[in-house]
Amino acid sequence: MKIKGMHLKGFGKFVDTRFYFQEGFNLVFGKNEAGKSTLQSFIKAMLFGLDRNTLDTEDRPSDSRKYNPWASDEFGGSMEILLSKGETLRLEQDFTNRQTNVYDDNLRNITSSYPYSTRGGLRFGETILGMDRECFENSAFIRQGGTVVLKNERKNLIERLMNLSQTGSEDSSAADTLRALGEAKKSLGNDRTQNRPYNMAKKDLANLENALEKARKKHAGMAGHLERKSYLEDKLAELKKKVDEANMAETARDLFKQRSQLLLALEQQLESNKEIDALSREIYDLQTKISDYGLPSGVAESDIMSHIRKAAASREKLNMVGGIDPEIESVKLAGLKKRRGILKILCYIGITVSAAAAFIFHPLIFTATGLLTLLLAFLYFKKPSHTQAELDEKIRIKNDCSRELIMINAFIESAGGKHADSFGEAELTLNSLFEKLNSISRLRNLIEIKDARKSDAGKARNALEVRFGPVSIIEQQLENLDKKIESAGFEESALPSSSDSEHYRTSYAELERELAGINFYLRESLHGNDSPAEEEEALAQCSERLKNIEAEKRAIELAENAVAESALELQKSILPKISGEMESLLEKITGGTHANLRVGSDMTVNSIDLANVRSIWDFSDGTVDQMYFSLRVAAARAFSEKEPVPLIIDEPFAFYDEERIRNAFELLSRLSGDLQIILFTCKEKELELASGLNDINIIRI
């Protein structure tokens, strides 16, 4: 199996992030806290599900809480996997809803082809790899420092190798399993022990057999009660039919009642709808009339009255001016002044001429010229009908009224009225507008009244809809009720009376109470502390308990044999593979220095160094760590017969010198020919060494 790519929709710090791996050697480089451990946990979670335990053995949060996305609502992702037979699978995990889906090359959902457990979810990794999470973590998944063996842990290395060869797990052995099974079998007991489950069950069985015999002798006959019980049961069965019929009749009566209520509600809703529609039409007609008046909405009654008063006042002012045109009269008055000047001159000339003529010619000439002069003087001293001041005041009044008429016309035109040539016409137009406004006001009052009626009708309809639903629902309910009534087979007029139904129920209840009393008596008599039925039941339970204990003992014995045989068989088949792989890998890592590493059936590990057989504990810590690394890689390859497992390594070379790191990298490069390797590191030196290799995929995060 090889991982082609991963899409982390939301996992820890990663949101909508994709990673692509090649089939061979991949190196993921990132500083501390960059997310390398998060990617490793994502791989395990995709294959084997997410750990949801609240706290682990060290009181750390579970993976479910630890990797819940920091900045995303989606918790999960997908992974593309290439199997050894060339088939590509797409694995999708939704950790929030605990949903797993698997798709084949043609994107067909093949999830159902994999086993599923209620507790662990879809068993995808176990099915594909042929190993569980623990075996995967102890072989193919090498954690940070996972190849380091401290001095105080050296004695445990052999134990780990023994456990791996027997059970596939470093932390559990076949001996531990057999020891636990032996303790379990011993705790059950046998014929030579006392006060154990097996002994207690046998003792209880003997006591119950004696008690059953005594109970059977004590409880002999209950014929009369049993006969009465049989009669009551028959009678109750007969009454039960009548009660059922009565109940059906009550149900039908309720159905008819519901039908009446629904019909009334339907009628009221239809009336409300009709009233609302009629009121809506009336309101529309009134609004149309208001529109027909053509009076803008901003015209107020106070404005019209104000302009009517202004028009009347201006008309009164014009009446005071009279029927004359003050401007023309002013022009006439100016002409009069000029003529009076001329007359004045003529008077002076006439007096002078008449005096001279009288003196020269005749006194009558003086008289004639004097009369003429008096006439001219009369014309000069004749008072005009208007003074200039009066005419100026009338001109001012006329101009003011003209401006007022312009303003009144502006208001009239803004209100949709016709232009008025005089204040009289303006008053008529304004009065017409006032009448329109009053008419509109009356229409609006009518609209408010009808709106209120419409609102009340709507509230009544809404109340009915809240209680019974809209018309369509009521009609559907009526249709359903009619079907129920028809299936009940009752006519409303032919329903039995409620009194008959109550009589059947009362009789049934009385007989039921009597039967309950008889049954109680029979239970007390037949099922007391020493009743045969109770003793038989207890005896059956005790026999079953004894059978279960004996079956459990046999199962433990079979399990012991199976564990011993499978551990031996696994050790025989796995140990040679692990030993051979370890030797080959160690030779490549150490550059041939340690070419012969042997693991015996007694799990002793020795090496031939300089033609001498030496225990591995005679070598340096770094060499022992390299041996253990070889063991982990060998175990990964040995346990991956069903499907090659990717080797996932996290900072494995903490105590290697540069030369051995280079050898290890070259070894991993060679192994990547048929095994996918994903190595995580934060060391710049390892990144530099890896960059010199051919065909390596370097991913920086």
Side-chain angles (χ1 to χ4, degrees), residues 165-369:
S165 68
Q166 290 181 342
T167 65
S169 171
E170 289 186 345
D171 300 323
S172 60
S173 66
D176 295 335
T177 306
L178 291 172
R179 193 180 302 111
L181 289 171
E183 290 295 327
K185 184 172 70 173
K186 184 179 178 181
S187 67
L188 291 175
N190 52 49
D191 291 332
R192 297 186 299 277
T193 59
Q194 294 182 354
N195 299 326
R196 301 220 177 148
Y198 176 78
N199 310 111
M200 298 298 294
K202 291 196 71 173
K203 183 178 179 180
D204 291 343
L205 185 64
N207 292 336
L208 287 170
E209 287 174 347
N210 293 332
L212 177 61
E213 185 65 26
K214 292 179 181 179
R216 285 174 177 169
K217 291 178 181 179
K218 181 178 180 181
H219 297 275
M222 306 295 293
H225 290 89
L226 291 173
E227 183 179 352
R228 179 62 180 171
K229 177 184 176 183
S230 177
Y231 167 78
L232 289 175
E233 288 174 345
D234 293 340
K235 190 66 176 176
L236 282 170
E238 180 183 340
L239 279 174
K240 181 70 167 57
K241 294 181 180 179
K242 294 183 178 180
V243 170
D244 289 343
E245 291 178 358
N247 290 336
M248 289 179 64
E250 287 296 325
T251 301
R253 188 175 287 108
D254 290 340
L255 292 175
F256 283 118
K257 183 178 179 181
Q258 292 177 31
R259 186 173 183 276
S260 298
Q261 291 177 343
L262 288 174
L263 285 172
L264 179 60
L266 179 62
E267 181 182 354
Q268 291 174 343
Q269 280 207 44
L270 291 175
E271 285 296 327
S272 296
N273 290 340
K274 184 178 178 182
E275 183 180 1
I276 290 171
D277 291 341
L279 288 170
S280 297
R281 287 192 298 272
E282 292 175 8
I283 290 170
Y284 176 78
D285 292 340
L286 292 174
Q287 290 172 339
T288 302
K289 289 182 180 179
I290 291 174
S291 299
D292 291 342
Y293 278 119
L295 192 65
S297 58
V299 179
E301 181 179 341
S302 58
D303 293 337
I304 295 175
M305 292 303 298
S306 172
H307 284 85
I308 289 175
R309 286 192 291 271
K310 289 178 181 179
S314 297
R315 180 171 51 80
E316 290 297 326
K317 288 179 181 179
L318 282 179
N319 290 336
M320 292 171 59
V321 172
I324 65 171
D325 186 343
E327 293 175 348
I328 295 174
E329 292 298 324
S330 178
V331 172
K332 290 180 178 180
L333 183 60
L336 179 62
K337 286 181 179 180
K338 290 180 181 180
R339 289 193 300 273
R340 290 179 68 184
I342 294 170
L343 289 174
K344 182 177 180 182
I345 293 171
L346 291 175
C347 284
Y348 289 147
I349 293 172
I351 292 172
T352 304
V353 170
S354 62
F359 180 74
I360 297 173
F361 297 103
H362 193 276
L364 289 176
I365 296 174
F366 175 75
T367 303
T369 55

Side-chain angles (χ1 to χ4, degrees), residues 304-573:
I304 295 175
M305 292 303 298
S306 172
H307 284 85
I308 289 175
R309 286 192 291 271
K310 289 178 181 179
S314 297
R315 180 171 51 80
E316 290 297 326
K317 288 179 181 179
L318 282 179
N319 290 336
M320 292 171 59
V321 172
I324 65 171
D325 186 343
E327 293 175 348
I328 295 174
E329 292 298 324
S330 178
V331 172
K332 290 180 178 180
L333 183 60
L336 179 62
K337 286 181 179 180
K338 290 180 181 180
R339 289 193 300 273
R340 290 179 68 184
I342 294 170
L343 289 174
K344 182 177 180 182
I345 293 171
L346 291 175
C347 284
Y348 289 147
I349 293 172
I351 292 172
T352 304
V353 170
S354 62
F359 180 74
I360 297 173
F361 297 103
H362 193 276
L364 289 176
I365 296 174
F366 175 75
T367 303
T369 55
L371 290 173
L372 179 61
T373 301
L374 288 174
L375 177 62
L376 292 173
F378 172 77
L379 293 174
Y380 171 77
F381 289 108
K382 184 181 179 182
K383 187 178 181 180
S385 58
H386 300 284
T387 66
Q388 186 61 45
E390 291 174 346
L391 291 174
D392 290 341
E393 177 64 19
K394 290 182 179 183
I395 289 171
R396 184 190 63 76
I397 291 172
K398 182 180 179 182
N399 290 335
D400 289 344
C401 289
S402 295
R403 286 192 295 271
E404 190 67 37
L405 183 60
I406 291 171
M407 293 176 63
I408 291 173
N409 272 320
F411 172 77
I412 290 172
E413 289 172 358
S414 69
K418 293 182 180 181
H419 181 83
D421 294 329
S422 65
F423 287 106
E425 290 181 9
E427 285 185 82
L428 292 174
T429 302
L430 288 169
N431 286 325
S432 174
L433 290 175
F434 183 76
E435 290 298 325
K436 285 183 180 180
L437 189 61
N438 285 337
S439 298
I440 289 172
S441 177
R442 288 192 297 271
L443 292 175
R444 284 177 177 161
N445 289 336
L446 284 175
I447 288 174
E448 289 180 2
I449 294 171
K450 292 183 183 296
D451 263 335
R453 288 175 55 192
K454 181 181 175 181
S455 176
D456 292 340
K459 290 177 181 178
R461 182 182 64 183
N462 291 339
L464 289 169
E465 287 183 351
V466 169
R467 183 178 177 187
F468 298 101
V471 171
S472 59
I473 298 298
I474 294 177
E475 290 174 344
Q476 183 62 45
Q477 289 177 340
L478 283 170
E479 184 178 347
N480 294 336
L481 280 176
D482 289 339
K483 290 179 180 178
K484 290 180 180 179
I485 291 170
E486 184 179 355
S487 63
F490 286 99
E491 295 289 338
E492 188 171 11
S493 58
L495 288 174
S497 65
S498 300
S499 59
D500 292 341
S501 301
E502 189 61 31
H503 170 70
Y504 293 141
R505 293 192 188 95
T506 302
S507 300
Y508 185 85
E510 291 174 354
L511 293 180
E512 200 172 35
R513 283 194 294 271
E514 183 181 354
L515 180 61
I518 291 175
N519 285 331
F520 177 77
Y521 174 78
L522 292 175
R523 277 197 307 273
E524 289 296 313
S525 300
L526 297 175
H527 296 276
N529 293 332
D530 54 355
S531 67
E534 188 172 292
E535 298 298 342
E536 286 175 356
E537 183 179 355
L539 182 64
Q541 292 176 353
C542 187
S543 299
E544 186 67 24
R545 180 157 56 95
L546 184 60
K547 289 179 182 178
N548 291 337
I549 293 172
E550 292 174 343
E552 190 173 350
K553 288 174 63 179
R554 288 194 298 274
I556 292 174
E557 291 171 357
L558 291 172
E560 287 177 326
N561 295 333
V563 169
E565 291 174 3
S566 61
L568 181 60
E569 183 64 29
L570 185 60
Q571 184 173 328
K572 288 179 180 179
S573 61

Side-chain angles (χ1 to χ4, degrees), residues 13 38 73 168 240 248 258 287 319 460 475 490 555 589 595 626 650 669 689:
K13 68 182 292 182
T38 301
D73 294 333
K240 181 70 167 57
M248 289 179 64
Q258 292 177 31
Q287 290 172 339
N319 290 336
E475 290 174 344
F490 286 99
I589 292 177
Q626 292 161 5
D650 183 20
S669 180
L689 289 172

Side-chain angles (χ1 to χ4, degrees), residues 68-136:
N68 206 313
W70 304 348
S72 174
D73 294 333
E74 291 189 276
F75 187 16
S78 62
M79 176 186 290
E80 286 195 12
I81 296 169
L82 177 64
L83 300 183
S84 57
K85 294 182 180 180
E87 181 184 2
T88 299
L89 298 180
R90 178 180 175 83
L91 175 64
E92 295 184 353
Q93 290 274 16
D94 181 350
F95 298 123
T96 301
N97 300 312
R98 302 187 182 186
Q99 291 182 352
T100 306
N101 287 295
V102 184
Y103 300 90
D104 63 7
D105 290 331
N106 298 317
L107 296 181
R108 292 178 302 178
N109 194 319
I110 57 172
T111 308
S112 59
S113 61
Y114 293 88
Y116 180 87
S117 67
T118 305
R119 184 174 181 180
L122 193 72
R123 301 181 68 82
F124 177 81
E126 293 88 337
T127 305
I128 292 293
L129 303 177
M131 63 175 71
D132 60 10
R133 177 196 291 267
E134 184 179 8
C135 185
F136 176 75

